[in-house]
Amino acid sequence: MPVAAFEPDVPVTVFGLGTIEAQILARIGFEVPGTLIELAADHGDRVAAGAVLARLNTISQQARVARAEAAQLSADAAAARAVAQRERAEAQFTQKQATARRRRDLANRGVGSQEVAELAETEQELARVDLLVNAADAAVARAAQAEARANLATERATLDKHTLRAPFEAIVIARSREAGTALNPGEVVFTLVAPESIWMQAFIDEGRAGDLALGQTGMVTLRSRPGRPVAAEIVRIGLEADRVTEERRVHLRCRACPTMPVVGEQAEVVIETARLPRARLLSEQALHGFDGAAGTVWTIEAGRLARRRVTIAARLVDGRVAITDGLPDDVALVTQVAARFVVGRAVQAVPGP
């Protein structure tokens, strides 16, 4: 009867399927409508942050900017005129105030006419009202000036939006429009990814994901590079499992990517979660009542079949389980179970395959 031998240094791994993704991916376009007249980047180009990618026709917007500049000049002139008028009104009020004070003093001493003093005081009051009106006019002119400046800033900002720039250092993975195309706001022109943000999104059976941890090493094999796995490291473990597939999402970033992977390409990953110094390996099919943590196995004790309940140390990706505790070393573990097995039946142990 074949029995399991002790195996040293047994790696415990989990397997997952997934795709190559970019943590930082942007589909960018213009915020304003217009006709695309220039494209400065294409598929596969590497662009620096702030680099010009494309431009729209700016003739109409330049005219709006010129009109806004003229409006600001007019508002500045009106504001300067209003300030001058206010200063003139202030001077006139000061003069009328001094004249009224002198004539009232003369009238009080009986030297001047009472009527002349009252007329001077009336002129003083009129000058004061004129000063208030001119001060209000100056405030209105300043408000119009501020509005003209804001309008000019808006038109210049809109003009700047006719130039599309890279928001970060990136690789262009798609160019969706060509020169001459009339664009609406928000239409995608380029798709960009940050090359350092490329990672693999893998889906791991939640029943095998319990020992995953940040920093663990995984070997990622791209579908386009069979047989050439690259080392990667777990950088994120999802905190929400898929309720339908019962899988957890794990992200790995390669430590030395050979080339720029293709976003969306399928990949496989094998992650080592632990190593067992010494264990006996058994197919899950040879377990009875296996609940993911323990099961009943057939053993050979004193030359006869017996059954024992054992705890499973780990489940391996090849469908076997590792047993480290619960069986004395002199108790043989049967690896192939037959329907005719009966407790107490005499058997002879032979090394398993």
Side-chain angles (χ1 to χ4, degrees), residues 214-276:
L214 296 176
Q216 287 177 342
T217 298
M219 301 303 295
V220 175
T221 303
L222 302 177
R223 194 167 187 180
S224 61
R225 297 169 59 86
R228 289 180 288 175
V230 295
E233 180 181 342
I234 296 180
V235 294
R236 179 184 293 178
I237 300 174
L239 298 179
E240 183 179 11
D242 190 301
R243 293 169 175 79
V244 177
T245 63
E246 299 180 351
E247 294 173 321
R248 292 184 67 181
R249 187 180 288 109
V250 178
H251 291 88
L252 303 96
R253 185 162 284 133
C254 63
R255 292 172 173 168
C257 298
T259 59
M260 174 66 186
V262 177
V263 175
E265 180 178 354
Q266 293 185 357
E268 300 176 352
V269 62
V270 177
I271 304 169
E272 183 175 310
T273 59
R275 278 189 175 267
L276 302 176

Coordinates of all heavy atoms in Angstrom, one line a residue, residues 214-276:
L214 N 1.2 41.7 2.8 CA 2.0 42.7 2.1 C 3.5 42.4 2.1 O 4.0 42.0 3.1 CB 1.8 44.1 2.6 CG 0.3 44.7 2.5 CD1 0.3 46.0 3.2 CD2 -0.1 44.8 1.1
G215 N 4.1 42.5 0.9 CA 5.5 42.3 0.9 C 5.9 40.9 0.4 O 7.1 40.6 0.2
Q216 N 4.9 40.0 0.4 CA 5.2 38.6 0.0 C 5.6 38.6 -1.5 O 5.1 39.4 -2.3 CB 4.1 37.7 0.2 CG 3.9 37.3 1.7 CD 2.6 36.5 1.9 OE1 1.8 36.4 1.1 NE2 2.6 35.9 3.1
T217 N 6.4 37.6 -1.8 CA 6.9 37.5 -3.2 C 6.0 36.6 -4.0 O 5.6 35.6 -3.6 CB 8.3 36.9 -3.3 OG1 9.2 37.9 -2.6 CG2 8.8 36.8 -4.7
G218 N 5.7 37.0 -5.3 CA 5.0 36.2 -6.2 C 5.7 36.1 -7.5 O 6.5 37.1 -7.9
M219 N 5.5 35.1 -8.3 CA 6.1 34.9 -9.6 C 5.0 35.1 -10.6 O 4.0 34.3 -10.7 CB 6.8 33.6 -9.8 CG 7.9 33.3 -8.7 SD 9.2 34.6 -8.8 CE 9.9 34.3 -10.4
V220 N 5.1 36.2 -11.4 CA 4.1 36.5 -12.4 C 4.6 36.1 -13.8 O 5.7 36.4 -14.2 CB 3.9 38.0 -12.4 CG1 2.9 38.4 -13.5 CG2 3.3 38.5 -11.0
T221 N 3.7 35.4 -14.5 CA 4.0 34.9 -15.8 C 2.9 35.6 -16.8 O 1.7 35.3 -16.7 CB 3.9 33.4 -15.9 OG1 4.8 32.8 -15.0 CG2 4.2 33.0 -17.3
L222 N 3.4 36.4 -17.7 CA 2.5 37.0 -18.7 C 2.2 36.0 -19.7 O 2.9 35.1 -20.1 CB 3.2 38.2 -19.3 CG 3.7 39.3 -18.4 CD1 4.4 40.4 -19.2 CD2 2.5 39.9 -17.7
R223 N 1.0 36.2 -20.3 CA 0.5 35.2 -21.3 C 1.4 35.3 -22.6 O 1.6 34.3 -23.3 CB -0.9 35.5 -21.7 CG -1.6 34.4 -22.5 CD -3.1 34.6 -22.6 NE -3.7 33.5 -23.2 CZ -5.0 33.4 -23.4 NH1 -5.8 34.3 -23.0 NH2 -5.5 32.3 -24.0
S224 N 2.0 36.5 -22.8 CA 2.9 36.7 -24.0 C 4.3 36.2 -23.7 O 5.1 36.2 -24.6 CB 2.9 38.2 -24.4 OG 3.4 38.9 -23.3
R225 N 4.6 35.8 -22.5 CA 6.0 35.4 -22.1 C 5.9 34.1 -21.3 O 6.3 34.0 -20.2 CB 6.7 36.4 -21.3 CG 6.9 37.7 -22.0 CD 7.4 38.8 -21.1 NE 8.6 38.5 -20.4 CZ 9.8 38.7 -20.9 NH1 10.0 39.3 -22.1 NH2 10.9 38.4 -20.3
P226 N 5.3 33.0 -21.9 CA 5.2 31.8 -21.2 C 6.6 31.2 -20.8 O 7.5 31.3 -21.6 CB 4.5 30.8 -22.2 CG 4.8 31.4 -23.5 CD 4.9 32.9 -23.3
G227 N 6.6 30.7 -19.6 CA 7.9 30.1 -19.1 C 8.9 31.0 -18.7 O 10.0 30.6 -18.3
R228 N 8.6 32.3 -18.6 CA 9.5 33.3 -18.2 C 8.9 34.2 -17.1 O 8.6 35.4 -17.3 CB 10.0 34.2 -19.4 CG 10.9 33.5 -20.4 CD 11.3 34.4 -21.5 NE 10.2 34.6 -22.4 CZ 10.2 35.5 -23.5 NH1 11.4 36.1 -23.7 NH2 9.2 35.6 -24.3
P229 N 8.7 33.6 -15.9 CA 8.1 34.4 -14.8 C 9.1 35.5 -14.3 O 10.3 35.4 -14.4 CB 7.9 33.4 -13.8 CG 8.9 32.3 -14.0 CD 9.1 32.3 -15.5
V230 N 8.5 36.6 -13.8 CA 9.3 37.6 -13.2 C 8.8 37.8 -11.7 O 7.6 37.6 -11.4 CB 9.1 39.0 -14.0 CG1 9.6 38.9 -15.3 CG2 7.6 39.4 -14.0
A231 N 9.7 38.2 -10.9 CA 9.4 38.3 -9.5 C 8.6 39.6 -9.2 O 8.8 40.6 -9.8 CB 10.7 38.4 -8.7
A232 N 7.6 39.5 -8.4 CA 6.8 40.6 -8.0 C 6.5 40.6 -6.5 O 6.8 39.6 -5.9 CB 5.5 40.6 -8.8
E233 N 6.0 41.7 -6.0 CA 5.7 41.9 -4.6 C 4.3 42.3 -4.4 O 3.8 43.2 -5.1 CB 6.7 42.9 -4.0 CG 6.6 43.1 -2.5 CD 7.6 44.2 -2.0 OE1 8.6 44.4 -2.7 OE2 7.4 44.7 -0.9
I234 N 3.7 41.8 -3.4 CA 2.3 42.2 -3.0 C 2.3 43.6 -2.4 O 3.0 43.8 -1.5 CB 1.6 41.2 -2.0 CG1 1.5 39.8 -2.7 CG2 0.3 41.7 -1.6 CD1 0.8 38.8 -1.7
V235 N 1.6 44.5 -3.1 CA 1.6 45.9 -2.6 C 0.2 46.3 -2.1 O 0.0 47.4 -1.5 CB 2.1 46.9 -3.7 CG1 3.5 46.6 -4.0 CG2 1.2 46.7 -4.9
R236 N -0.8 45.5 -2.4 CA -2.2 45.8 -1.9 C -3.0 44.5 -1.9 O -2.9 43.7 -2.8 CB -2.9 46.8 -2.8 CG -4.3 47.2 -2.4 CD -5.0 48.1 -3.3 NE -4.4 49.4 -3.3 CZ -4.8 50.4 -4.1 NH1 -5.8 50.2 -4.9 NH2 -4.2 51.6 -4.1
I237 N -3.8 44.4 -0.8 CA -4.7 43.3 -0.7 C -6.1 43.8 -0.5 O -6.3 44.6 0.5 CB -4.3 42.4 0.5 CG1 -2.9 41.8 0.3 CG2 -5.3 41.2 0.7 CD1 -2.3 41.0 1.5
G238 N -7.0 43.5 -1.3 CA -8.3 44.0 -1.3 C -9.0 43.7 0.1 O -8.8 42.6 0.6
L239 N -9.8 44.6 0.5 CA -10.5 44.4 1.8 C -12.0 44.0 1.6 O -12.7 43.9 2.5 CB -10.5 45.7 2.6 CG -9.1 46.3 3.0 CD1 -9.2 47.6 3.7 CD2 -8.4 45.2 3.8
E240 N -12.3 43.8 0.3 CA -13.7 43.3 0.0 C -13.6 42.2 -1.0 O -13.0 42.3 -2.1 CB -14.5 44.4 -0.6 CG -16.0 44.0 -0.9 CD -16.8 45.2 -1.4 OE1 -16.2 46.2 -1.8 OE2 -18.0 45.0 -1.5
A241 N -14.2 41.0 -0.7 CA -14.2 39.9 -1.6 C -15.3 39.9 -2.5 O -16.4 40.6 -2.2 CB -14.2 38.6 -0.8
D242 N -15.2 39.3 -3.7 CA -16.2 39.2 -4.7 C -17.3 38.3 -4.1 O -17.0 37.1 -3.9 CB -15.7 38.8 -6.0 CG -16.7 38.9 -7.1 OD1 -17.8 38.3 -7.0 OD2 -16.5 39.6 -8.1
R243 N -18.5 38.7 -4.0 CA -19.5 37.9 -3.4 C -20.0 36.8 -4.3 O -20.6 35.8 -3.9 CB -20.7 38.8 -3.0 CG -20.4 39.7 -1.8 CD -21.5 40.7 -1.6 NE -21.2 41.6 -0.4 CZ -20.4 42.6 -0.4 NH1 -19.7 42.9 -1.5 NH2 -20.2 43.3 0.7
V244 N -19.7 36.9 -5.6 CA -20.2 35.9 -6.6 C -19.1 34.8 -6.8 O -19.3 33.6 -6.7 CB -20.5 36.5 -7.9 CG1 -20.9 35.5 -8.9 CG2 -21.7 37.5 -7.7
T245 N -17.9 35.3 -7.1 CA -16.8 34.4 -7.4 C -16.0 33.9 -6.1 O -15.3 33.0 -6.2 CB -15.8 35.0 -8.3 OG1 -15.2 36.1 -7.7 CG2 -16.4 35.5 -9.6
E246 N -16.3 34.6 -5.0 CA -15.7 34.2 -3.7 C -14.1 34.3 -3.8 O -13.4 33.4 -3.4 CB -16.1 32.9 -3.2 CG -17.6 32.8 -3.0 CD -18.0 31.4 -2.5 OE1 -17.2 30.5 -2.5 OE2 -19.2 31.2 -2.0
E247 N -13.7 35.4 -4.4 CA -12.3 35.7 -4.6 C -11.9 37.0 -4.0 O -12.7 37.9 -3.9 CB -11.9 35.6 -6.1 CG -12.1 34.3 -6.8 CD -11.9 34.4 -8.3 OE1 -12.3 35.4 -8.9 OE2 -11.3 33.4 -8.8
R248 N -10.6 37.1 -3.7 CA -10.1 38.4 -3.2 C -9.2 39.0 -4.2 O -8.5 38.3 -5.0 CB -9.3 38.2 -1.9 CG -10.2 37.8 -0.7 CD -9.4 37.7 0.6 NE -8.9 39.0 1.0 CZ -8.2 39.2 2.1 NH1 -7.9 38.2 2.9 NH2 -7.8 40.4 2.5
R249 N -9.2 40.3 -4.3 CA -8.3 41.0 -5.3 C -7.0 41.4 -4.6 O -6.9 42.0 -3.6 CB -9.1 42.3 -5.7 CG -8.4 43.0 -6.9 CD -9.2 44.2 -7.3 NE -10.4 43.8 -8.0 CZ -11.6 44.0 -7.5 NH1 -11.8 44.4 -6.3 NH2 -12.7 43.6 -8.2
V250 N -5.9 41.0 -5.3 CA -4.6 41.2 -4.8 C -3.8 41.9 -5.9 O -3.9 41.6 -7.1 CB -3.9 39.9 -4.4 CG1 -2.4 40.2 -3.9 CG2 -4.6 39.2 -3.3
H251 N -3.0 43.0 -5.5 CA -2.2 43.7 -6.5 C -0.7 43.4 -6.2 O -0.3 43.5 -5.1 CB -2.5 45.2 -6.4 CG -3.9 45.5 -7.0 ND1 -5.0 45.6 -6.2 CD2 -4.3 45.9 -8.2 CE1 -6.0 45.9 -6.9 NE2 -5.6 46.1 -8.1
L252 N 0.0 43.1 -7.3 CA 1.4 42.9 -7.2 C 2.2 43.8 -8.2 O 1.7 44.1 -9.3 CB 1.8 41.5 -7.5 CG 1.2 40.4 -6.7 CD1 -0.1 39.8 -7.4 CD2 2.1 39.2 -6.4
R253 N 3.3 44.3 -7.7 CA 4.2 45.1 -8.6 C 5.5 44.4 -8.8 O 6.1 44.0 -7.9 CB 4.3 46.5 -8.0 CG 5.1 47.5 -8.9 CD 4.9 48.9 -8.4 NE 3.5 49.4 -8.8 CZ 2.7 50.0 -8.0 NH1 3.0 50.3 -6.8 NH2 1.5 50.4 -8.5
C254 N 5.9 44.3 -10.1 CA 7.1 43.6 -10.4 C 8.3 44.3 -9.9 O 8.3 45.6 -9.9 CB 7.2 43.3 -11.9 SG 7.3 44.7 -12.9
R255 N 9.3 43.6 -9.5 CA 10.5 44.2 -9.0 C 11.5 44.6 -10.1 O 12.3 45.5 -9.9 CB 11.2 43.2 -8.0 CG 10.4 43.0 -6.7 CD 11.0 41.9 -5.9 NE 10.3 41.8 -4.6 CZ 10.4 40.8 -3.8 NH1 11.2 39.8 -4.1 NH2 9.7 40.8 -2.6
A256 N 11.4 43.9 -11.2 CA 12.3 44.2 -12.4 C 11.5 43.9 -13.6 O 11.8 42.8 -14.2 CB 13.6 43.5 -12.3
C257 N 10.6 44.7 -14.0 CA 9.8 44.5 -15.3 C 10.8 44.5 -16.5 O 11.5 45.4 -16.7 CB 8.8 45.5 -15.4 SG 7.6 45.5 -14.1
P258 N 10.7 43.5 -17.3 CA 11.6 43.4 -18.5 C 11.3 44.4 -19.5 O 12.2 45.1 -20.1 CB 11.4 42.0 -19.0 CG 10.0 41.6 -18.5 CD 9.8 42.3 -17.2
T259 N 10.0 44.7 -19.8 CA 9.6 45.6 -20.8 C 8.3 46.2 -20.3 O 7.7 45.8 -19.3 CB 9.4 45.0 -22.2 OG1 8.4 44.0 -22.1 CG2 10.7 44.5 -22.7
M260 N 7.8 47.2 -21.0 CA 6.5 47.8 -20.7 C 5.4 46.8 -21.0 O 5.2 46.5 -22.2 CB 6.3 49.1 -21.5 CG 4.9 49.7 -21.4 SD 4.6 50.3 -19.7 CE 2.9 50.8 -19.9
P261 N 4.8 46.2 -20.0 CA 3.7 45.2 -20.2 C 2.5 45.9 -21.0 O 2.3 47.1 -20.9 CB 3.3 44.7 -18.8 CG 4.4 45.2 -17.9 CD 5.0 46.4 -18.6
V262 N 1.7 45.0 -21.5 CA 0.5 45.5 -22.2 C -0.7 45.5 -21.2 O -1.0 44.5 -20.6 CB 0.1 44.6 -23.4 CG1 -1.2 45.0 -24.1 CG2 1.3 44.5 -24.4
V263 N -1.2 46.7 -21.0 CA -2.3 46.9 -20.1 C -3.5 46.0 -20.6 O -3.9 46.0 -21.7 CB -2.8 48.3 -20.0 CG1 -4.0 48.5 -19.1 CG2 -1.6 49.2 -19.4
G264 N -4.0 45.2 -19.6 CA -5.1 44.3 -20.0 C -4.7 42.9 -20.3 O -5.6 42.0 -20.4
E265 N -3.4 42.7 -20.4 CA -2.9 41.3 -20.8 C -3.1 40.4 -19.6 O -3.0 40.7 -18.4 CB -1.4 41.4 -21.1 CG -0.9 40.0 -21.5 CD 0.6 40.0 -21.9 OE1 1.2 41.2 -22.0 OE2 1.2 39.0 -22.1
Q266 N -3.5 39.1 -19.9 CA -3.7 38.2 -18.9 C -2.4 37.7 -18.3 O -1.4 37.6 -19.0 CB -4.6 37.0 -19.4 CG -6.0 37.4 -19.8 CD -6.8 36.1 -20.2 OE1 -6.3 35.0 -20.3 NE2 -8.1 36.4 -20.5
A267 N -2.4 37.3 -17.0 CA -1.2 36.8 -16.4 C -1.6 35.8 -15.3 O -2.7 35.8 -14.8 CB -0.4 38.0 -15.8
E268 N -0.6 35.0 -14.9 CA -0.8 34.1 -13.8 C 0.2 34.5 -12.7 O 1.3 35.0 -13.0 CB -0.5 32.7 -14.3 CG -1.4 32.2 -15.4 CD -1.0 30.8 -15.9 OE1 0.1 30.3 -15.4 OE2 -1.8 30.2 -16.7
V269 N -0.1 34.2 -11.5 CA 0.8 34.5 -10.4 C 0.8 33.3 -9.4 O -0.3 32.7 -9.1 CB 0.4 35.8 -9.7 CG1 -1.0 35.7 -9.0 CG2 1.4 36.1 -8.6
V270 N 1.9 33.0 -8.9 CA 2.1 32.0 -7.8 C 2.8 32.7 -6.7 O 3.9 33.3 -6.8 CB 2.9 30.8 -8.3 CG1 3.1 29.9 -7.1 CG2 2.2 30.1 -9.4
I271 N 2.1 32.8 -5.5 CA 2.6 33.5 -4.4 C 3.0 32.6 -3.3 O 2.2 31.7 -2.9 CB 1.6 34.5 -3.8 CG1 1.1 35.5 -4.9 CG2 2.1 35.3 -2.6 CD1 -0.1 36.3 -4.6
E272 N 4.2 32.7 -2.8 CA 4.7 31.8 -1.7 C 4.3 32.5 -0.4 O 4.7 33.6 -0.1 CB 6.2 31.6 -1.7 CG 6.7 30.7 -0.6 CD 8.1 30.4 -0.8 OE1 8.6 30.0 -1.9 OE2 8.9 30.5 0.2
T273 N 3.5 31.8 0.4 CA 3.0 32.4 1.7 C 3.8 31.8 2.9 O 3.7 32.4 4.0 CB 1.5 32.1 1.9 OG1 1.3 30.7 1.9 CG2 0.7 32.8 0.8
A274 N 4.4 30.7 2.8 CA 5.1 30.1 3.9 C 6.0 28.9 3.4 O 5.9 28.5 2.2 CB 4.1 29.6 4.9
R275 N 6.8 28.4 4.3 CA 7.6 27.2 4.0 C 7.5 26.3 5.2 O 7.7 26.8 6.4 CB 9.1 27.5 3.7 CG 9.2 27.9 2.2 CD 10.7 28.1 1.8 NE 10.8 28.3 0.4 CZ 11.0 27.4 -0.5 NH1 11.0 26.1 -0.2 NH2 11.1 27.7 -1.8
L276 N 7.3 25.0 5.0 CA 7.2 24.1 6.0 C 8.5 23.3 6.1 O 9.0 22.7 5.1 CB 6.0 23.1 5.8 CG 4.7 23.7 5.7 CD1 3.6 22.7 5.3 CD2 4.3 24.5 6.9

